[in-house]
Structures are given as C-alpha cells and as structure tokens.
Amino acid sequence: MIDPTDVSPALQILLLAVLAVPILGAIVVALLPARLDRGARIVATAFAAVTFVAAVLLALPSSRDFGWFDYTGSGMPPVIPWAEVDLPWVPSLGIEFHIGVDGVSYPLVVLTGLLTLLCCAYTVWKVPTGGSGRTLAALLLVLEAGILGTFLALDLVLFFVFFEVVLLPMYAVIAGWGGPERRRAARKFVLYTLFGSVLLLLGVFTVVASADTGDVTVLTGGHGLSRTTQHVAFALFAVAFAVKAPLWPLHTWLPDAHTEAPTVGSVILAGVLLKMGTYGLIRIGVGVAPQGAAWAAPALGILATAAIIAGSLVCLRQTELKRLIAYSSVGHMGFVLLGIATLTATGVQAALIGNVAHGVITGLLFFLAGAIKDRAHTGDLTALGGLRETAPRLAGLLGFAAIASLGLPGLAGFWGEAFAVVAAIQRGSPLWTTLAVVAAVGGALTATYFLRLLRRVTHGPAVEAVTGFPAISRAEWLAWAPLVLLTLVVGLVPALVLANAADPVAALTGALP
C-alpha cells in the first residue's frame, strides 16, 4: 500500500497553484489600465479557469492511490491529505504554512473554483452599477484565494488568517456594487464577522497554547488537550463559526447582505463563503475538540432544529425574492448543523453533501433572482406574476431550482436533509427522535414556501413588471448550465461528493468519546 504521506512534487505544485493563481490574477487585473476594463474581466476569467482546472486535477491521484486508504486501522492521524505542502512560516513561534486537501475539503475546493469562474465569466457580460468591472473581478479573485485557503489550511493560525482574508473584499463587493442600502448591509456584515473573528482567535490561542502546536493533523482527536480545554475551545469555535455560517440566532446580517449584494456577490456569499463556517465546525470544532463537541451536541441539535423551523416560518412571510432565498439558507444550514450535531458518520456525511448541494442550488437561485430583478427592476413578489407566460424558460429554470432546494428526491438537495434526519433518528434517544420529527416538519414547510414562491412569480396572468423580458443570453446560459447539470448529477450520483470522504469521516467520528 502506498504511504499517503508520500506526496509527489507535481501534486504539491498543483496545490500551491490553487492558491497562487487567483492571487496572481488579482494583482494582474488590478494593474491593468482602466481603459481595458472588459479585457481585465476576461483576464480574470482566464485566471479563474486555470484555478478551477488545478483544483479538479487534485483529485486524480486520490482515486488511484489514497481514495480507500484505511484511516481507522492504520494508526495514522485522521487527517491524511492527498496533496500536502508543509513549510516553515514563523519558525520562532512554531507556525507553519501547512496546507493540504482530503475527501472532506476537496468538494468545497472544486465548488469554490467553479462558482468563482462562473461569476467572473458573468461579469464579462454584465457589470453591476457602482464601480468598474476590473475592480470587481480582482476582488472576486481575492475572495477565491481566501476561501480556498480556509478549506486547505492545516495549521490553526493559517486557518485564521485565510478566514479573515475574505472580510474586506466581501465588504467592498457589497458596499461598492450593491443596492440602495448596501453600505448599511456591508457594515452589519463586517460587525458580525468581526465578532466571530475575535472568538475564533481566542479559540485558536486556547488550543495552541495548551497543545504547543497548531498542526491540525496532530490536533485532530483532541491530542494534547484536556477535557476542560476542549469544552472552552469548542464553545469559542462553535459561536465563531455560527456567525459565519450563519446559524440561528446569529443570522440577522445575512438577509440584508444578500438583498443588497450584487448577483455575483450573492452567489459567492451563499455558495461558498457560508460554507467556511460549517466546514470549520467539522474540521476544527469537532476535529480538534471532540469532547467539547460531545458535550455541546444536544444544544447544537436544538439550535439546528430551531433554525430549520424559524427560517421556514420567516420565508412564509417574505415578500422580497432575494430576501426569501436568503432566509431559506438559514433553514438549509440548520439541516447541515443537525447532521454535524449528531456526531455520527451518517450525520457528518449528510452535512458534507448538504454543504455542496446548498452551494450549487442556492448559487443558481441567486443567479436567477438577479436576472429577474434586473429585468423587472423589482424583487417584490406582489409585483411579480405570470413569468411563465412571458419568459417560460426563465420560469422553468426557477421552478427547477426551487424544487431542488425543497429537497425533491433525485436532485442534489434531497440527500443532505434526508440523511440529517436519519442520523438524528439513529442517535436513538427521545431528544434526538423529537428533533428529527421537528426537522422533518421543517422540511415540509420548506416545500410550502417554495411552492408559494412559484405560485406568485410564475403562475397567474402576466403583470406589467414581467412583460417584455429579453431572452436568456448566452452568457447567462453559460453561467447557469453547469449548476443545473451539477444539481442533477449530485442528486443521482451522490457518491461523487462522498466517495473519498467516507474514511476521513469515519476516523473523525471514531475519535469522539
């Protein structure tokens, strides 16, 4: 058997390229003269395409060599990356530039590369009002680098640095190209995120000071940490990641940010930036402080179920299109948290596929919502109606995305939510059974508000706001088609997301008390 720590130089170059290419692209695009604005957006798209290809290629050796490595029986650490780079960064403090990818992080790395590519390509066709397309494209590449770094980091301090890199670029995207209330929404986003950042930093310091290392591959399983330290660290991590996800009741910045953000900002925000929180909860929270996770699991399960119900009830009262989709994310992230809170292999895998499915489907929903608002000049559901009469293809795509989001079997949204409920039932106690039942009711409410959305927007006589809609452009088809295809493929073949995650997830949950 091939030693999974024996990483080829080619893989290390690919791994470094995944981070270096978007950073280099952002610098190149920012240095291009303003008169080459469209050319700069094309260049940004090219850099995003190279990053995406490099991310996809990271998986090729895994299926051949490491995909079915026996993590649990080898005596090796639970985090065994396929590709890994470990270099000294601040030797005097024991901080390393340690990055790697495994079956838990890989799907999110590819999703980040894909959504950034689609958003950059979308800006070539349409730039939202508020600033130059060149600057927006450069910011998208900086966001990509920060998000990818978060998913790849295997050192706690490095994880924190990348986690914070996304803050200012996303603030600039919302404040520079957003709607009428963009500055207020951007400030709210920054304030909430900074609050979470302080708690994350405290958690990192707590762990590093106690274990004398920030290496996630060493710390996974709670190595060198007492029970009390794990309880304190997990509490800090949980709240910090709950802000970013966001999870109820720390979600109130999300609807404003989504409503005011430009289309590409909403896609990146919902598609991958929110996943930094749930991924961090799995990799850092549960991985580094398993005893703390076990201690807090019932509370997390209750909060997750509350998020599902609260998000659904609020959606039933929403009258603005993007705001409704934003609140739906609160409910969907509640299912992801419920899966994590069960601390079972089934639950964690449900959370992993739920992350990817939400990123794909909600990214598509925000693309479609942006197209409708751009054409109708309103997102008010009371002013929309009869879309299938004037733009049947757009109405059909909206219907497809909505039924995928409500969890129809055979589409991507089904697996994560269904198996989060199954995992809760498998826990067996009256509390978890009750949470599973309540979560299932929340799933029914999800179907209710999405069907209400379709009835209002697509059915009935065509109103004035939806008359004269232009046909879907080639650029829009280019941006939307991959997400439609992935929604189908992941729904029919979920193993594409989970095949290489089974062993690391088993090792992660096997370390729990």
Side-chain angles (χ1 to χ4, degrees):
M1 179 177 292
I2 295 176
D3 182 356
T5 62
D6 184 16
V7 181
S8 71
L11 278 179
Q12 292 180 324
I13 292 172
L14 271 178
L15 188 60
L16 289 172
V18 168
L19 281 181
V21 170
I23 295 172
L24 178 61
I27 294 172
V28 170
V29 170
L31 293 177
L32 289 174
R35 69 177 184 276
L36 299 178
D37 190 85
R38 189 171 190 275
R41 285 176 271 143
I42 294 174
V43 170
T45 303
F47 274 98
V50 173
T51 305
F52 174 62
V53 171
V56 171
L57 292 177
L58 284 173
L60 295 183
S62 71
S63 60
R64 182 176 70 250
D65 296 335
F66 313 144
W68 302 107
F69 181 76
D70 183 10
Y71 289 76
T72 55
S74 67
M76 298 190 68
V79 180
I80 308 293
W82 307 328
E84 182 180 19
V85 174
D86 191 358
L87 301 171
W89 186 24
V90 187
S92 60
L93 298 178
I95 301 173
E96 299 176 339
F97 184 84
H98 189 186
I99 57 175
V101 62
D102 68 352
V104 173
S105 58
Y106 177 74
L108 293 174
V109 170
V110 174
L111 180 62
T112 303
L114 174 63
L115 289 182
T116 306
L117 172 59
L118 298 181
C119 287
C120 287
Y122 194 79
T123 63
V124 175
W125 171 71
K126 180 180 179 59
V127 178
T129 58
S132 73
R134 174 175 59 94
T135 305
L136 177 59
L139 289 171
L140 289 176
L141 291 175
V142 175
L143 275 170
E144 180 181 30
I147 296 169
L148 287 172
T150 301
F151 295 146
L152 296 174
L154 292 177
D155 181 273
L156 283 180
V157 177
L158 186 64
F159 177 90
F160 173 79
V161 171
F162 279 122
F163 199 85
E164 295 310 300
V165 164
V166 303
L167 177 58
L168 291 181
M170 182 52 72
Y171 170 85
V173 168
I174 298 172
W177 289 268
E181 298 293 325
R182 58 186 181 273
R183 297 192 183 279
R184 181 182 64 83
R187 285 195 299 268
K188 194 172 184 180
F189 164 76
V190 167
L191 290 175
Y192 269 80
T193 306
L194 284 176
F195 168 69
S197 299
V198 171
L199 297 180
L200 177 59
L201 183 61
L202 290 174
V204 168
F205 281 162
T206 299
V207 171
V208 173
S210 298
D212 200 28
T213 181
D215 192 331
V216 174
T217 63
V218 174
L219 290 168
T220 299
H223 172 77
L225 300 176
S226 67
R227 177 183 295 271
T228 301
T229 300
Q230 290 192 40
H231 286 187
V232 172
F234 185 83
L236 293 169
F237 287 144
V239 178
F241 295 135
V243 172
K244 182 71 78 176
L247 301 171
W248 186 89
L250 301 171
H251 67 285
T252 56
W253 63 267
L254 181 66
D256 292 334
H258 271 312
T259 303
E260 299 302 324
T263 297
V264 292
S266 291
V267 171
I268 294 295
L269 182 61
V272 285
L273 193 144
L274 303 186
K275 310 306 176 291
M276 293 165 59
T278 48
Y279 170 81
L281 193 58
I282 295 171
R283 174 72 84 202
I284 307 300
V286 175
V288 173
Q291 293 186 39
W295 163 70
L300 289 179
I302 293 170
L303 289 174
T305 307
I308 295 168
I309 297 299
S312 298
L313 293 177
V314 173
C315 283
L316 287 171
R317 301 289 297 172
Q318 285 304 308
T319 58
E320 207 281 333
L321 181 58
K322 289 184 72 175
R323 203 169 184 87
L324 185 150
I325 299 171
Y327 272 111
S328 75
S329 293
V330 177
H332 290 308
M333 289 296 96
F335 279 103
V336 172
L337 176 60
L338 179 62
I340 297 171
T342 64
L343 302 181
T344 63
T346 300
V348 174
Q349 291 195 67
L352 294 177
I353 197 169
N355 268 336
V356 174
H358 179 264
V360 171
I361 296 169
T362 308
L364 177 60
L365 278 170
F366 275 114
F367 266 132
L368 296 171
I372 292 171
K373 288 189 71 172
D374 288 341
R375 289 163 165 80
H377 306 292
T378 181
D380 188 351
L381 297 182
T382 61
L384 298 171
L387 187 63
R388 67 176 182 174
E389 303 296 330
T390 60
R393 291 180 179 177
L394 186 57
L397 285 171
L398 180 64
F400 172 81
I403 63 173
S405 190
L406 63 83
L408 185 73
L411 298 177
F414 167 75
W415 298 104
E417 299 187 2
F419 280 90
V421 174
V422 170
I425 292 175
Q426 289 177 342
R427 284 295 301 265
S429 70
L431 171 64
W432 288 102
T433 302
T434 302
L435 294 180
V437 171
V438 175
V441 172
L445 292 175
T446 301
T448 302
Y449 68 72
F450 270 118
L451 293 175
R452 169 180 171 269
L453 167 67
L454 293 178
R455 179 178 63 82
R456 286 200 171 191
V457 176
T458 64
H459 289 60
V463 299
E464 183 179 355
V466 302
T467 56
F469 267 23
I472 299 174
S473 68
R474 289 183 180 179
E476 289 174 318
W477 279 119
L478 179 66
W480 304 345
L483 300 180
V484 173
L485 181 62
L486 272 177
T487 300
L488 285 168
V489 170
V490 173
L492 295 173
V493 193
L496 289 176
V497 175
L498 297 177
N500 288 318
D503 288 331
V505 167
L508 189 71
T509 54
L512 292 164

